[in-house]
Amino acid sequence: MKIGGAAGQGIQTIGTVLSKTFLRDGFHVFGSQFYLSRVRGGHNFFQIRVSDHPVQAIKEELDILVALDEASITQHLEEVQDGFVVADEAAVNDTTPENVISIPFVDIAKEVSGNKLFSNTVAVGAVFGILCYDLSCLNTLLSEIFEKKGEEIIEKNIAAAKAGYDYVQDGKFKGVCKFDLTPNPVDGRILIDGNDAVGFGALAAGVQLVSSYPMTPSTGVMTFVAKYADRFNAIVEQAEDEVAALNMAIGASFAGVRAMTTTSGGGFCLMTEALGLAGMTETPVVVFLSQRPGPATGLPTMTEQADLQFALHAAQGEIPRCILAPRTPRDAFYQTMRAFNIADKYQIPVILMSDQYLADALFTYENFDLSHVTIERHLLSDRELKKMGDYRRYEITDSGISPRALPGQAGVLVVADSDEHNEEGHIDQTIENRIRMNEKRLRKLDGLKEDMQLPIIHGLENADISLIGWGSTFGPLAEAVDILNEDEVSINLVHFSDIYPLHEGDIGLLMDGLNHTVCVENNATGQFAQLLRTELGFEVSDKILRYDGLPFTPKSIIRELEEKEVV
Amino acid sequence: MVTLDDYKAGDTEWCPGCGNFSILAAVKKALVSLDKEPHEVLMVSGIGQSGKLPHYLKCNTFNGLHGRTLPPATGAKLANPELTVIAVGGDGDSYGEGGNHFIHALRRNPDITLIAHDNQIYGLTKGQASPTSEPGMKTKIQTHGVINTPFNPLAVAISLGCTFVSRGFAGDIEHLSSLIAEAVEHPGFSLVDILQPCISFNKLNTYSWYKERVYKLEDEGYDPTDRIKAFEKTLEWGERIPTGVFYKHDSTSFESKQPVLEKGPLVKQKYDPEELIDVMKSFM
C-alpha cells in the first residue's frame, strides 16, 4: 500500500503506525519513503509491503492507495491494480475517477475527536477498515505512542481510528473483505531502518563521539545516537562544518575514544583533507557516507550509489582505507560494529557507505543477536607500556600496524604528525624514511584483505547468469533472482558488502567461476564494475544502471534483463 | 618537580632570530611554572613554522592540518578533559584557513589555550599578506599594497564572549610566559595572540617597530573585567599597542556543560551492554 500526500501532512506517522501494527501482529513488513527537499508541501509518499514471509523490496503494484493530496491520485492511480483508493475529500475534484472513494478525514476527526490533527489516525483506521482488520493491536500501539500526552489524547486517537474504520465498514466496503490478513502476534520482532541500524551499531560498538554537520540522508544516524548518548556515555557534537566534524572526530579518537562522523556526498567532499589526516596520522575513525545523487547539491532526498569511486580515491596521496557497504539494516548493524573494530585494528579510516534508500527503508527482523557484539580496541595497557621501554608511535612492523598508546598514559608521550614523520612521530623528510613509512602504512592492506568477507551468493549455485551488486541493492536483486528462479531461469546474485580492499585470491577465484555476469548499480557509469576491473582484472558481461534518483525494484531489474535479452 | 629539562627536545628548523624561539621558551617556562608533567600536556598544532613548535617540546603532540588546529584539539579535550590541551597556530592558520573554527571554538568555549603566532605575514610560503597584515603593506602578491581590513582577533574574541583574551609580545619572554600560564589556568577558551616579528619577510613590523609601541595594560592600572573597555582597547593600534590581559571573566567550559563528563573522562567510561537490549525494545 502507499500513503501519499504533502510534506507536513503526517505521512510518515501514518506509515510508521501501520507498519508497527502489522509487525506486532506477526507480519513481515517492508517500508520505504520518497520525499522532497522541503519542510511543507510537495508530493511525498510512504510505501508499505506486508507479507507472511520476509520481504526486502518494494513492489510496483498497489493494493491500497491512501491519497491525502491530489498528486497522490494523478501520480499513483495507475499503480493500483484491482485495489482500493481512498482519498481525503480535499484531494478529490470533478475529474477524479469514479473508483476513488473520498473520505472526509478532517470532518470525521473534528467530529469524534474535536481536532483536525486526528485526521491521520482516521486514515489509519480507514485502511484497517478496508482490510477488515482487528483494531486491538493498533489501540495498544496508540496508547504507547501517546502515553506521555495523557489519557485524553490516547482516547481521542482510539476514537479517531474507530471512526475511520466504521466509515469504511459502514459505507461502500460493507461486507467486502478482499484481503485475508489474520494476525498471529509474535514476540521479539523488530522494525528498523538503515539509519537507525547504523546508529544502533555505533552505540553497540561503544562510539563516544559523533561530530557531524547535518546532511540528508545521513542525519538520522546522528539523531539516533544523540537520543541515547547520555545512556551510552557518548557526546554528539554538531560541528560548524564537515571539515571540523571529521577533524574533531580524529582528535577524539587520537585521545582514545571511538569516534565517527556522518555525512553525505557534498559533506564528504569537505572531509577529504581530514580523511588523509586520519590515514597519515594512523588515527582510527569511522566515516558514515550516506549517498544521494550528485553532483553538487544534486537530488538531495533521492537515492544513488555514485560516490564509490570518490570514496575509493578521496584525499591526496595514497592511504590505506577500508570501505564497507551494508546490504540491509541488519547488515548495517553488524557492519557498523565491524567498521569500528577494523578502524582500531589497522588504525585507518573506515568508510561505511549507505544511501537514501537504505537510510529510510524499514525492514522486519527477529531480534539482533547481541552476543555477537565484540569491542576490540587494540590499545596498549599501562602494564604493556612499562615492559616496552622506549615507545614509538610509528614503530615499523611487518604488519604495518604500530603499537598504539594514548596521550595521558603515564610514562609515555604520543607524537602524531600529518607531515611525513619518523618512528617517533617527528617530521622527517629524508628519502629513506619516506619510503619506509609509506610502505609501512600501505602494508596494512595486506592484513586487511585477509579480514575482508566474501560476497554472498543468493539463488541457484553455478547459475548461467550472475547478477553482481553491492550495498543497498541487495533486497530488490535477491527478490528478482527468486522470481526468476521460480520461472526456472538459471540465475543467481553475487552481492558485495565488503567493498575495499578486495582479496584478489579468494574473490578472484570466486569471480572466475561465474558465467554471464550483469553488474547492477544505482549509478550511470558502473563504478563497482570499474573496481572489479582495476582490482581483479575482472570484466563484467553486462551492466544495468539506474540513475534517475530512484531505487531498483525487483520488477525493474527483470524488465531490464528481458530488454537486454539476458533472460 | 617539573623542570625545563623535562621539556627539552632536539634541534629546531627556524630562522636564526625568529620570534618562535621566544614563544617556545615562554611555553616551556609557563608549563614548568604550572608544574605540568609532559604526559599531561597535549599540544595540537596546524601547519606553518608555528605548527612545528610542539615538535621542539617533549610532550604529547598532534600536528594536524593547516587551519585545523582547533577541531582536533576540541575533540581530544572532550575525549579526555584531564589533558591540558594547548593549540598552536599562526595568523594564517588560526584566522585565515581556520577562521571558521576560531569563531566556533569561541562559541563553544572548550578549556583550550590558543597560542597564535601573529607575525602578520605568511612566512613558510615566503611572504604573502596574512589576515592581520597592515593595510598598504606591499608583497609579491599584494603588489599595490594590502587593501583588505585586518582581522582583529581580540575584538572578535571579545564580541563572541571569549572569557580570556590576551596579547603577548615575543620580545618579552617573562611577560609572555606569565600570560600563557594564566591562560592555561583559565577554565574555558583562552586566547594568547602573540606579536611576533618575522625577520625574513615582514620588514614593517620589526622588533624595533614593536619595542617603540608596545606597552603593558597592567602598568596602567587597567581593569580586565570590563568587557566594553576591553573592546575599546582592542581597537588601539598604531602609536601605542597594548599587551597583557584585555578581558578576563569567570567561565564555564564546554566540557563542564556536558552531563556525560560529570562521570569522568570519556576515555575512562564504558557503557552497560544491558542498555542495548533496551534500545532494541524501541524497535518492537
Side-chain angles (χ1 to χ4, degrees):
Chain A
M1 64 182 80
K2 188 177 266 180
I3 303 107
Q9 279 191 305
I11 296 147
Q12 203 183 348
T13 314
I14 300 177
T16 310
V17 169
L18 287 169
S19 303
K20 275 219 167 175
T21 309
F22 291 126
L23 169 86
R24 290 184 178 190
D25 273 342
F27 295 100
H28 292 268
V29 180
F30 179 88
S32 77
Q33 292 186 61
F34 174 90
Y35 52 96
L36 295 167
S37 185
R38 50 194 290 182
V39 177
R40 292 199 180 274
H43 174 66
N44 298 353
F45 59 80
F46 194 109
Q47 202 165 348
I48 307 167
R49 187 170 166 199
V50 184
S51 172
D52 52 8
H53 61 273
V55 274
Q56 307 193 86
I58 219 68
K59 278 179 83 168
E60 292 184 1
E61 310 84 21
L62 298 176
D63 292 312
I64 299 171
L65 172 65
V66 181
L68 300 182
D69 63 356
E70 207 183 322
S72 301
I73 300 172
T74 51
Q75 291 187 26
H76 306 297
L77 190 66
E78 281 182 11
E79 297 161 25
V80 185
Q81 296 183 352
D82 190 31
F84 300 97
V85 185
V86 288
D88 183 62
E89 257 188 347
V92 177
N93 58 35
D94 298 343
T95 61
T96 308
E98 279 188 9
N99 61 338
V100 176
I101 300 130
S102 84
I103 300 179
F105 291 131
V106 174
D107 291 345
I108 297 173
K110 280 187 190 159
E111 195 185 313
V112 299
S113 305
N115 194 320
K116 66 175 182 181
L117 283 175
F118 295 93
S119 60
N120 282 338
T121 314
V122 177
V124 172
V127 171
F128 284 128
I130 293 170
L131 298 169
C132 307
Y133 193 91
D134 184 53
L135 287 186
S136 56
C137 183
L138 173 70
N139 291 342
T140 312
L141 186 67
L142 290 172
S143 307
E144 284 174 29
I145 292 172
F146 297 106
E147 194 185 350
K148 283 189 188 147
K149 297 200 171 172
E151 200 58 38
E152 194 191 339
I153 300 291
I154 294 173
E155 290 307 322
K156 284 183 173 178
N157 271 289
I158 289 174
K162 182 163 189 316
Y165 187 93
D166 290 346
Y167 187 91
V168 169
Q169 283 280 310
D170 295 344
K172 292 196 178 178
F173 296 96
K174 199 167 188 168
V176 180
C177 282
K178 187 168 171 275
F179 304 97
D180 179 22
L181 286 169
T182 313
N184 182 20
V186 284
D187 284 334
R189 272 205 197 147
I190 60 171
L191 185 73
I192 187 168
D193 69 31
N195 269 353
D196 283 358
V198 170
F200 190 17
L203 290 174
V207 71
Q208 287 191 289
L209 187 95
V210 177
S211 52
S212 304
Y213 190 89
M215 186 169 184
T216 305
S218 67
T219 318
V221 172
M222 185 189 183
T223 315
F224 185 85
V225 176
K227 189 172 159 191
Y228 293 97
D230 290 351
R231 287 162 64 183
F232 282 78
N233 301 327
I235 290 174
V236 175
E237 178 59 10
Q238 185 175 323
E240 57 269 29
D241 54 33
E242 286 85 352
V243 177
L246 184 49
N247 272 285
M248 204 180 285
I250 289 169
S253 174
F254 171 76
V257 303
R258 285 194 153 177
M260 88 186 285
T261 186
T262 61
T263 192
S264 184
F268 188 66
C269 291
L270 294 182
M271 288 180 181
T272 56
E273 181 197 34
L275 195 78
L277 177 69
M280 185 57 145
T281 59
E282 307 193 33
T283 311
V285 72
V286 174
V287 179
F288 174 67
L289 166 56
S290 193
Q291 301 163 96
R292 67 191 213 186
T297 309
L299 298 169
T301 60
M302 298 191 204
T303 203
E304 200 164 79
Q305 293 180 302
D307 293 338
L308 175 59
Q309 288 293 334
F310 177 39
L312 281 164
H313 303 288
Q316 71 271 47
E318 296 162 310
I319 56 160
R321 73 189 77 202
C322 173
I323 300 178
L324 306 174
R327 302 180 172 103
T328 59
R330 189 210 301 270
D331 199 30
F333 175 74
Y334 293 112
Q335 287 286 44
T336 304
M337 283 194 292
R338 201 166 145 246
F340 281 95
N341 284 340
I342 290 173
D344 269 346
K345 180 174 178 184
Y346 293 99
Q347 302 168 18
I348 56 169
V350 178
I351 304 166
L352 196 60
M353 294 186 76
S354 177
D355 50 41
Q356 184 270 326
Y357 172 69
L358 182 59
D360 295 319
L362 284 160
F363 285 59
T364 307
Y365 293 113
E366 303 302 323
N367 268 341
F368 290 157
D369 183 0
L370 299 177
S371 67
H372 285 203
V373 174
T374 55
I375 297 177
E376 296 151 12
R377 293 299 319 267
H378 304 276
L379 293 170
L380 287 170
S381 66
D382 291 342
R383 203 168 47 84
E384 285 169 316
L385 270 172
K386 266 196 194 125
K387 274 196 281 179
M388 264 181 111
D390 277 352
Y391 173 71
R392 288 169 300 169
R393 173 66 191 94
Y394 299 111
E395 188 181 315
I396 304 262
T397 60
D398 288 344
S399 64
I401 304 165
S402 308
R404 183 163 170 236
L406 300 179
Q409 275 184 292
V412 61
L413 296 178
V414 186
V415 178
D417 200 334
S418 70
D419 283 90
E420 190 57 272
H421 44 259
N422 58 22
E423 288 181 273
E424 281 77 28
H426 289 296
I427 300 174
D428 186 337
Q429 303 191 19
T430 59
I431 292 162
E432 304 75 32
N433 177 68
R434 163 65 178 182
I435 295 168
R436 267 155 41 97
M437 277 295 162
N438 213 18
E439 287 177 351
K440 167 198 131 57
R441 288 189 293 268
L442 292 174
R443 235 179 359 254
K444 295 178 186 181
L445 288 171
D446 299 338
L448 179 55
K449 277 178 189 169
E450 300 289 334
D451 285 351
M452 296 299 272
Q453 293 169 356
L454 286 174
I456 58 170
I457 297 181
H458 178 90
L460 289 181
E461 279 181 47
N462 306 318
D464 294 339
I465 307 156
S466 291
L467 301 182
I468 297 172
W470 65 282
S472 72
T473 55
F474 177 76
L477 281 168
E479 188 166 334
V481 164
D482 289 343
I483 294 168
L484 291 168
N485 281 171
E486 252 177 50
D487 288 345
E488 296 185 349
V489 178
S490 173
I491 190 167
N492 64 14
L493 167 65
V494 180
H495 201 270
F496 290 75
S497 181
D498 282 20
I499 306 299
Y500 182 85
L502 293 174
H503 193 297
E504 299 97 350
D506 293 347
I507 296 172
L509 214 61
L510 185 149
M511 300 298 284
D512 286 344
L514 305 178
N515 296 310
H516 190 89
T517 53
V518 185
C519 194
V520 187
E521 301 183 59
N522 253 149
N523 60 55
T525 52
Q527 299 194 11
F528 189 69
Q530 286 176 52
L531 177 70
L532 292 176
R533 187 190 307 129
T534 51
E535 291 293 304
L536 306 176
F538 182 87
E539 291 286 346
V540 298
S541 328
D542 245 316
K543 286 177 212 156
I544 293 179
L545 305 172
R546 180 165 192 171
Y547 42 91
D548 56 0
L550 300 174
F552 287 105
T553 59
K555 210 172 177 177
S556 71
I557 296 162
I558 295 169
R559 213 163 32 228
E560 287 254 7
L561 287 169
E562 286 167 351
E563 274 171 29
K564 287 181 184 292
E565 296 179 355
V566 177
V567 298
Chain B
M1 277 297 285
V2 179
T3 67
L4 284 173
D5 273 352
D6 291 324
Y7 282 99
K8 198 174 165 190
D11 296 339
T12 59
E13 290 176 8
W14 291 321
C15 310
C18 176
N20 281 330
F21 289 102
S22 325
I23 299 173
L24 176 63
V27 169
K28 275 190 203 170
K29 234 170 125 69
L31 291 171
V32 170
S33 76
L34 297 171
D35 205 26
K36 294 277 178 201
E37 298 272 356
H39 79 267
E40 298 171 325
V41 177
L42 170 62
M43 301 282 289
V44 183
S45 64
I47 300 301
Q49 293 297 12
S50 61
K52 294 177 183 168
L53 185 141
H55 285 290
Y56 308 143
L57 272 173
K58 264 196 176 157
C59 63
N60 296 295
T61 299
F62 188 86
N63 185 8
L65 297 168
H66 188 49
R68 315 302 173 211
T69 322
L70 292 170
T74 306
K77 187 72 187 178
L78 275 177
N80 188 358
E82 287 178 354
L83 292 169
T84 296
V85 179
I86 299 173
V88 187
D91 38 346
D93 201 44
S94 305
Y95 309 138
E97 194 89 37
N100 198 28
H101 309 310
F102 178 65
I103 288 172
H104 293 280
L106 290 166
R107 290 182 54 236
R108 281 192 188 95
N109 196 33
D111 184 10
I112 289 170
T113 299
L114 171 62
I115 296 179
H117 302 217
D118 190 351
N119 59 12
Q120 296 152 277
I121 197 87
Y122 282 179
L124 201 56
T125 50
K126 303 193 174 169
Q128 301 80 25
S130 95
T132 55
S133 290
E134 299 274 345
M137 180 199 260
K138 287 192 176 178
T139 78
K140 283 182 192 162
I141 307 278
Q142 287 76 24
T143 53
H144 300 292
V146 169
I147 54 172
N148 296 340
T149 306
F151 184 78
N152 186 331
L154 305 179
V156 170
I158 289 170
S159 77
L160 287 170
C162 181
T163 54
F164 189 98
V165 181
S166 70
R167 178 190 283 148
F169 172 44
D172 186 345
I173 297 178
E174 283 301 317
H175 183 239
L176 183 58
S177 74
S178 73
L179 274 182
I180 293 172
E182 200 181 339
V184 171
E185 284 283 271
H186 179 79
F189 192 83
S190 48
L191 171 66
V192 188
D193 182 72
I194 302 171
L195 304 174
Q196 177 218 358
C198 173
I199 55 159
S200 298
F201 296 106
N202 189 335
K203 305 297 183 196
L204 191 65
N205 311 103
T206 60
Y207 275 106
S208 57
W209 189 88
Y210 278 121
K211 278 191 174 144
E212 282 168 21
R213 290 166 170 80
V214 294
Y215 74 95
K216 296 191 189 82
L217 285 166
E218 57 262 41
D219 289 350
E220 306 205 342
Y222 174 79
D223 171 15
T225 62
D226 185 331
R227 195 172 169 196
I228 303 294
K229 279 224 177 76
F231 187 72
E232 274 179 31
K233 274 292 167 197
T234 66
L235 304 179
E236 186 177 329
W237 183 271
E239 291 303 303
R240 301 190 81 219
I241 299 174
T243 60
V245 181
F246 283 60
Y247 182 59
K248 193 166 67 169
H249 204 268
D250 287 345
S251 161
T252 309
S253 72
F254 182 54
E255 304 84 66
S256 307
K257 291 178 192 162
Q258 307 279 352
V260 170
L261 291 176
E262 284 167 17
K263 292 177 267 180
L266 287 186
V267 278
K268 292 184 180 167
Q269 296 185 41
K270 295 208 165 38
Y271 76 84
D272 174 5
E274 286 294 310
E275 295 283 349
L276 290 175
I277 296 167
D278 221 44
V279 175
M280 195 139 63
K281 281 186 187 147
S282 73
F283 297 116
M284 290 179 183

